Amino acid sequence: MQFPTEVLRVLTDPRTVIRDDQVSVPFEIDRPVYEQLNKVLKEMGGAWDGRKAVRAHVYPYRIEEFMRQCLAANDYPSKYEQGWFPTPPALVMQVCDLAGIYAGMTVLEPSAGSGAMAGEIARRGGIVDAFEIDSRRVEILREQGDARRVVHGDFLAADPLDYEEPFERLVMNPPFANGLDHIKHAIGFMGENSILVSIMSQGLMWWSDKATVEFREMVDEVGGDIQKLPDDSFAVCGTSIRTCLLFLPGYPGGPLRTHEWHMRQPRQLDLFAAA
Ligand SMILES: C[S@@+](CC[C@H](N)C(=O)[O-])C[C@H]1O[C@@H](n2cnc3c(N)ncnc32)[C@H](O)[C@@H]1O
Protein backbone atom coordinates (compact mmCIF):
# COMPACT_ATOMS: atom_id res chain seq x y z
CA MET A 1 0.00 0.00 0.00
CA GLN A 2 1.18 3.53 -0.70
CA PHE A 3 1.87 5.85 2.23
CA PRO A 4 -0.58 8.77 2.35
CA THR A 5 1.36 11.84 1.10
CA GLU A 6 1.42 13.63 4.46
CA VAL A 7 2.48 10.47 6.31
CA LEU A 8 5.33 9.97 3.85
CA ARG A 9 6.37 13.59 4.39
CA VAL A 10 6.49 13.12 8.17
CA LEU A 11 8.32 9.80 8.03
CA THR A 12 10.97 11.15 5.66
CA ASP A 13 11.41 14.35 7.67
CA PRO A 14 15.02 14.39 8.96
CA ARG A 15 13.72 15.10 12.49
CA THR A 16 11.76 11.84 12.60
CA VAL A 17 13.67 9.19 14.50
CA ILE A 18 13.51 5.64 13.10
CA ARG A 19 15.92 3.58 15.13
CA ASP A 20 16.08 -0.08 16.10
CA ASP A 21 12.52 -1.11 16.99
CA GLN A 22 11.05 2.41 17.35
CA VAL A 23 9.58 5.26 15.33
CA SER A 24 9.14 8.63 17.02
CA VAL A 25 8.11 12.02 15.73
CA PRO A 26 9.51 14.65 18.12
CA PHE A 27 7.75 17.65 16.53
CA GLU A 28 4.21 18.95 16.26
CA ILE A 29 1.96 17.62 13.51
CA ASP A 30 -1.69 18.30 12.77
CA ARG A 31 -4.20 15.97 14.43
CA PRO A 32 -5.55 14.48 11.13
CA VAL A 33 -2.01 13.74 9.95
CA TYR A 34 -1.17 12.19 13.33
CA GLU A 35 -4.22 9.94 13.05
CA GLN A 36 -3.20 8.77 9.58
CA LEU A 37 0.36 8.19 10.76
CA ASN A 38 -0.80 6.24 13.81
CA LYS A 39 -2.96 4.04 11.56
CA VAL A 40 -0.10 3.26 9.16
CA LEU A 41 2.43 2.57 11.92
CA LYS A 42 -0.02 0.24 13.66
CA GLU A 43 -0.83 -1.53 10.42
CA MET A 44 2.87 -2.22 10.05
CA GLY A 45 2.80 -3.96 13.43
CA GLY A 46 3.77 -1.13 15.82
CA ALA A 47 2.11 -0.24 19.12
CA TRP A 48 2.14 3.22 20.70
CA ASP A 49 4.13 3.37 23.94
CA GLY A 50 3.19 6.66 25.59
CA ARG A 51 5.55 6.41 28.57
CA LYS A 52 7.53 9.65 28.97
CA ALA A 53 10.86 7.89 28.40
CA VAL A 54 9.65 6.25 25.18
CA ARG A 55 6.86 8.17 23.40
CA ALA A 56 7.25 6.15 20.20
CA HIS A 57 5.62 3.43 18.15
CA VAL A 58 7.44 0.29 19.19
CA TYR A 59 7.77 -2.83 17.04
CA PRO A 60 8.36 -6.42 18.09
CA TYR A 61 11.30 -6.50 15.65
CA ARG A 62 13.89 -4.13 14.21
CA ILE A 63 11.94 -1.72 11.99
CA GLU A 64 14.84 0.53 10.94
CA GLU A 65 16.02 -1.12 7.70
CA PHE A 66 12.56 -2.31 6.81
CA MET A 67 11.08 1.19 7.11
CA ARG A 68 13.92 2.57 4.98
CA GLN A 69 12.99 0.12 2.21
CA CYS A 70 9.30 0.93 2.46
CA LEU A 71 9.89 4.69 2.36
CA ALA A 72 12.24 4.39 -0.61
CA ALA A 73 9.59 2.37 -2.47
CA ASN A 74 6.69 4.47 -1.14
CA ASP A 75 4.99 1.18 -0.42
CA TYR A 76 4.37 -0.81 2.72
CA PRO A 77 2.82 -4.19 3.33
CA SER A 78 0.03 -4.33 5.82
CA LYS A 79 0.72 -7.00 8.42
CA TYR A 80 -2.30 -8.83 7.05
CA GLU A 81 -0.79 -9.09 3.57
CA GLN A 82 0.81 -12.41 2.55
CA GLY A 83 0.59 -13.54 6.16
CA TRP A 84 3.55 -11.51 7.35
CA PHE A 85 3.98 -11.78 11.09
CA PRO A 86 7.63 -11.65 12.12
CA THR A 87 8.38 -14.40 14.63
CA PRO A 88 8.75 -12.94 18.16
CA PRO A 89 12.27 -13.45 19.62
CA ALA A 90 11.26 -15.91 22.40
CA LEU A 91 9.55 -18.13 19.85
CA VAL A 92 12.53 -17.92 17.48
CA MET A 93 14.71 -19.33 20.30
CA GLN A 94 12.18 -22.09 21.04
CA VAL A 95 12.01 -23.11 17.36
CA CYS A 96 15.79 -23.13 16.95
CA ASP A 97 16.27 -25.11 20.19
CA LEU A 98 13.69 -27.69 19.15
CA ALA A 99 15.25 -28.02 15.68
CA GLY A 100 18.66 -28.52 17.31
CA ILE A 101 20.69 -26.25 15.07
CA TYR A 102 24.45 -26.63 15.29
CA ALA A 103 27.34 -24.94 13.49
CA GLY A 104 27.77 -26.07 9.90
CA MET A 105 24.27 -27.50 9.44
CA THR A 106 22.37 -26.61 6.28
CA VAL A 107 19.04 -24.99 7.12
CA LEU A 108 16.14 -24.00 4.86
CA GLU A 109 13.89 -21.06 5.85
CA PRO A 110 11.21 -21.15 3.11
CA SER A 111 9.22 -18.04 4.15
CA ALA A 112 11.92 -15.92 5.70
CA GLY A 113 10.08 -12.60 6.11
CA SER A 114 12.50 -9.98 7.35
CA GLY A 115 14.85 -12.57 8.79
CA ALA A 116 13.91 -13.04 12.46
CA MET A 117 14.61 -16.78 12.31
CA ALA A 118 17.34 -16.62 9.66
CA GLY A 119 19.33 -14.25 11.90
CA GLU A 120 19.24 -16.58 14.90
CA ILE A 121 20.08 -19.65 12.79
CA ALA A 122 23.13 -17.85 11.40
CA ARG A 123 24.12 -16.76 14.92
CA ARG A 124 24.16 -20.45 15.87
CA GLY A 125 26.44 -21.22 12.91
CA GLY A 126 23.74 -22.66 10.61
CA ILE A 127 24.12 -22.19 6.86
CA VAL A 128 20.79 -20.70 5.82
CA ASP A 129 19.10 -20.69 2.43
CA ALA A 130 16.02 -18.47 2.45
CA PHE A 131 12.99 -17.98 0.23
CA GLU A 132 10.79 -14.89 0.36
CA ILE A 133 8.10 -13.72 -2.03
CA ASP A 134 7.99 -10.03 -1.06
CA SER A 135 10.70 -7.97 -2.80
CA ARG A 136 11.16 -5.50 0.06
CA ARG A 137 11.71 -8.25 2.59
CA VAL A 138 14.12 -9.89 0.13
CA GLU A 139 16.16 -6.67 0.07
CA ILE A 140 16.25 -6.64 3.84
CA LEU A 141 17.34 -10.28 3.99
CA ARG A 142 20.11 -9.60 1.48
CA GLU A 143 21.22 -6.49 3.33
CA GLN A 144 21.30 -8.38 6.65
CA GLY A 145 23.58 -10.94 5.03
CA ASP A 146 22.64 -13.82 7.35
CA ALA A 147 21.68 -16.23 4.57
CA ARG A 148 24.05 -18.01 2.18
CA ARG A 149 21.40 -17.58 -0.50
CA VAL A 150 18.18 -15.55 -0.64
CA VAL A 151 15.76 -16.65 -3.35
CA HIS A 152 13.18 -14.06 -4.33
CA GLY A 153 10.14 -16.05 -5.39
CA ASP A 154 7.33 -18.42 -4.61
CA PHE A 155 8.61 -21.27 -2.47
CA LEU A 156 5.66 -23.43 -3.56
CA ALA A 157 7.03 -23.29 -7.12
CA ALA A 158 10.54 -24.35 -6.07
CA ASP A 159 11.71 -27.78 -7.23
CA PRO A 160 13.45 -29.96 -4.60
CA LEU A 161 15.44 -31.58 -7.39
CA ASP A 162 17.16 -28.27 -8.13
CA TYR A 163 19.07 -29.08 -4.93
CA GLU A 164 21.61 -31.90 -5.00
CA GLU A 165 21.37 -32.49 -1.28
CA PRO A 166 18.54 -32.23 1.21
CA PHE A 167 18.71 -29.69 4.03
CA GLU A 168 19.55 -30.99 7.49
CA ARG A 169 17.08 -28.69 9.19
CA LEU A 170 14.00 -26.79 8.02
CA VAL A 171 12.55 -24.06 10.19
CA MET A 172 9.48 -22.22 9.13
CA ASN A 173 6.72 -19.84 10.05
CA PRO A 174 4.73 -19.97 6.82
CA PRO A 175 1.71 -17.79 5.99
CA PHE A 176 -1.10 -19.18 8.12
CA ALA A 177 -3.63 -19.13 5.29
CA ASN A 178 -1.98 -22.03 3.44
CA GLY A 179 0.62 -23.18 5.95
CA LEU A 180 0.00 -26.88 5.40
CA ASP A 181 0.77 -26.53 1.67
CA HIS A 182 4.08 -24.90 2.59
CA ILE A 183 4.93 -27.62 5.09
CA LYS A 184 4.07 -30.46 2.70
CA HIS A 185 6.15 -28.82 -0.01
CA ALA A 186 9.06 -28.29 2.40
CA ILE A 187 9.16 -32.02 3.17
CA GLY A 188 10.56 -32.48 -0.34
CA PHE A 189 13.66 -30.53 0.73
CA MET A 190 14.33 -32.59 3.88
CA GLY A 191 16.36 -35.77 4.10
CA GLU A 192 15.40 -38.98 5.85
CA ASN A 193 17.53 -37.86 8.81
CA SER A 194 16.51 -34.21 8.80
CA ILE A 195 14.21 -32.35 11.18
CA LEU A 196 11.50 -29.86 10.24
CA VAL A 197 10.09 -27.47 12.84
CA SER A 198 7.25 -25.16 11.93
CA ILE A 199 4.95 -22.68 13.60
CA MET A 200 1.42 -23.22 12.30
CA SER A 201 -2.12 -22.12 12.93
CA GLN A 202 -3.54 -24.06 15.87
CA GLY A 203 -6.15 -25.44 13.46
CA LEU A 204 -3.57 -28.04 12.49
CA MET A 205 -4.44 -29.76 15.79
CA TRP A 206 -8.17 -30.08 15.12
CA TRP A 207 -9.14 -29.31 11.51
CA SER A 208 -11.13 -32.29 10.23
CA ASP A 209 -10.58 -32.01 6.47
CA LYS A 210 -9.01 -35.05 4.80
CA ALA A 211 -5.62 -33.39 4.09
CA THR A 212 -5.13 -32.27 7.70
CA VAL A 213 -6.34 -35.57 9.21
CA GLU A 214 -3.95 -37.53 6.97
CA PHE A 215 -1.15 -35.15 7.80
CA ARG A 216 -1.67 -35.64 11.56
CA GLU A 217 -1.66 -39.43 11.04
CA MET A 218 1.64 -39.14 9.18
CA VAL A 219 3.12 -36.97 11.96
CA ASP A 220 2.19 -39.74 14.46
CA GLU A 221 3.59 -42.45 12.24
CA VAL A 222 7.05 -40.84 12.00
CA GLY A 223 7.20 -40.03 15.72
CA GLY A 224 6.58 -36.32 15.28
CA ASP A 225 4.66 -34.02 17.57
CA ILE A 226 2.30 -31.03 17.47
CA GLN A 227 2.28 -28.85 20.60
CA LYS A 228 -0.12 -26.01 21.36
CA LEU A 229 1.65 -22.68 21.85
CA PRO A 230 0.37 -20.17 24.43
CA ASP A 231 -2.52 -18.09 23.05
CA ASP A 232 -0.53 -14.86 23.42
CA SER A 233 2.52 -16.09 21.50
CA PHE A 234 2.04 -13.47 18.77
CA ALA A 235 0.56 -10.74 20.98
CA VAL A 236 3.68 -8.60 20.53
CA CYS A 237 2.89 -8.46 16.79
CA GLY A 238 -0.55 -7.09 17.56
CA THR A 239 -2.37 -10.29 16.58
CA SER A 240 -4.21 -12.85 18.65
CA ILE A 241 -3.71 -15.68 16.17
CA ARG A 242 -3.48 -19.02 17.97
CA THR A 243 -0.57 -21.19 16.97
CA CYS A 244 1.07 -24.56 17.48
CA LEU A 245 4.52 -25.95 16.94
CA LEU A 246 5.10 -28.91 14.62
CA PHE A 247 8.13 -31.17 15.10
CA LEU A 248 8.63 -33.53 12.18
CA PRO A 249 11.61 -35.87 12.02
CA GLY A 250 12.66 -37.58 8.80
CA TYR A 251 11.98 -41.29 8.89
CA PRO A 252 14.06 -43.60 6.70
CA GLY A 253 11.77 -45.63 4.45
CA GLY A 254 8.69 -43.94 5.94
CA PRO A 255 5.75 -42.13 4.36
CA LEU A 256 7.33 -38.69 3.98
CA ARG A 257 7.94 -37.49 0.44
CA THR A 258 11.45 -36.36 1.26
CA HIS A 259 14.25 -35.29 -1.06
CA GLU A 260 15.32 -38.95 -1.29
CA TRP A 261 11.76 -39.90 -2.26
CA HIS A 262 11.83 -37.31 -5.07
CA MET A 263 15.25 -38.58 -6.22
CA ARG A 264 13.86 -42.11 -6.48
CA GLN A 265 10.97 -41.09 -8.74
CA PRO A 266 11.44 -41.71 -12.45
CA ARG A 267 12.11 -38.40 -14.19
CA GLN A 268 9.19 -37.32 -16.32
CA LEU A 269 10.06 -37.33 -20.01
CA ASP A 270 9.58 -33.93 -21.52
CA LEU A 271 7.73 -35.09 -24.61
CA PHE A 272 7.13 -31.55 -25.77
CA ALA A 273 10.73 -30.39 -25.61
CA ALA A 274 12.03 -29.00 -28.88
CA ALA A 275 14.07 -31.58 -30.74
C1 LIG B 1 4.63 -15.42 8.99
S1 LIG B 1 5.78 -14.60 7.95
C2 LIG B 1 7.30 -15.37 8.35
C3 LIG B 1 8.24 -14.53 9.07
C4 LIG B 1 9.62 -15.11 9.23
N1 LIG B 1 9.70 -16.54 9.11
C5 LIG B 1 10.18 -14.67 10.55
O1 LIG B 1 10.85 -15.43 11.17
O2 LIG B 1 9.96 -13.55 10.97
C6 LIG B 1 5.44 -15.36 6.38
C7 LIG B 1 6.32 -14.82 5.26
O3 LIG B 1 6.15 -15.69 4.13
C8 LIG B 1 6.19 -14.91 2.95
N2 LIG B 1 5.52 -15.70 1.92
C9 LIG B 1 4.18 -15.83 1.72
N3 LIG B 1 3.95 -16.68 0.70
C10 LIG B 1 5.17 -17.09 0.25
C11 LIG B 1 5.60 -17.98 -0.77
N4 LIG B 1 4.69 -18.63 -1.54
N5 LIG B 1 6.91 -18.18 -0.96
C12 LIG B 1 7.83 -17.53 -0.19
N6 LIG B 1 7.48 -16.67 0.81
C13 LIG B 1 6.17 -16.46 1.03
C14 LIG B 1 5.49 -13.63 3.33
O4 LIG B 1 5.85 -12.56 2.46
C15 LIG B 1 5.98 -13.43 4.77
O5 LIG B 1 7.11 -12.62 4.80
Side-chain angles (χ1 to χ4, degrees):
M1 284 188 286
Q2 279 204 329
F3 290 98
T5 312
E6 284 305 300
V7 171
L8 186 65
R9 192 182 55 71
V10 171
L11 288 173
T12 51
D13 188 301
R15 294 169 294 172
T16 298
V17 182
I18 303 173
R19 193 169 301 140
D20 291 334
D21 61 347
Q22 297 186 7
V23 177
S24 65
V25 178
F27 52 90
E28 290 271 313
I29 51 177
D30 294 343
R31 186 79 207 166
V33 178
Y34 174 77
E35 275 163 14
Q36 277 187 318
L37 178 70
N38 186 37
K39 184 165 174 268
V40 168
L41 294 178
K42 283 186 169 168
E43 244 173 20
M44 292 178 76
W48 171 249
D49 185 336
R51 285 174 297 169
K52 207 170 167 200
V54 185
R55 300 197 60 74
H57 282 82
V58 180
Y59 290 77
Y61 57 93
R62 201 178 143 84
I63 187 77
E64 196 174 329
E65 294 85 359
F66 183 55
M67 185 63 92
R68 200 161 0 106
Q69 294 293 338
C70 293
L71 293 174
N74 187 14
D75 198 4
Y76 69 95
S78 144
K79 64 184 175 180
Y80 301 106
E81 201 187 306
Q82 293 170 342
W84 182 45
F85 295 101
T87 315
L91 198 46
V92 170
M93 300 306 266
Q94 191 178 347
V95 168
C96 291
D97 287 350
L98 185 61
I101 290 164
Y102 301 106
M105 276 181 167
T106 53
V107 184
L108 180 65
E109 218 293 26
S111 38
S114 50
M117 297 216 279
E120 178 56 21
I121 297 162
R123 202 187 60 75
R124 293 178 186 220
I127 301 163
V128 195
D129 279 8
F131 278 82
E132 173 53 51
I133 205 162
D134 181 279
S135 59
R136 284 152 301 182
R137 294 195 273 281
V138 166
E139 294 246 358
I140 292 166
L141 289 163
R142 290 191 173 142
E143 209 174 289
Q144 282 169 355
D146 290 323
R148 169 177 67 178
R149 193 174 332 158
V150 177
V151 180
H152 177 202
D154 179 0
F155 171 64
L156 296 176
D159 184 348
L161 294 181
D162 285 345
Y163 293 77
E164 279 182 21
E165 299 288 337
F167 288 87
E168 293 171 282
R169 297 290 183 267
L170 295 91
V171 293
M172 23 194 327
N173 176 7
F176 294 125
N178 60 345
L180 190 53
D181 295 338
H182 279 251
I183 291 168
K184 284 161 100 176
H185 192 64
I187 291 172
F189 295 77
M190 72 189 281
E192 292 182 340
N193 294 305
S194 307
I195 291 175
L196 181 154
V197 174
S198 181
I199 297 164
M200 250 299 272
S201 159
Q202 225 173 73
L204 186 66
M205 304 183 79
W206 46 262
W207 285 329
S208 58
D209 61 285
K210 190 166 175 278
T212 312
V213 171
E214 284 176 0
F215 184 78
R216 279 197 300 267
E217 286 167 2
M218 192 177 68
V219 173
D220 270 350
E221 193 178 337
V222 301
D225 188 28
I226 305 174
Q227 302 166 22
K228 181 177 178 295
L229 285 167
D231 287 351
D232 60 356
S233 292
F234 278 82
V236 286
C237 304
T239 171
S240 56
I241 184 127
R242 293 187 180 167
T243 50
C244 64
L245 199 53
L246 165 72
F247 174 81
L248 189 70
Y251 188 85
L256 300 179
R257 295 190 167 191
T258 57
H259 191 267
E260 285 94 337
W261 182 90
H262 284 279
M263 295 289 277
R264 286 195 297 268
Q265 302 312 299
R267 300 290 170 99
Q268 196 178 344
L269 289 176
D270 189 353
L271 299 173
F272 301 103

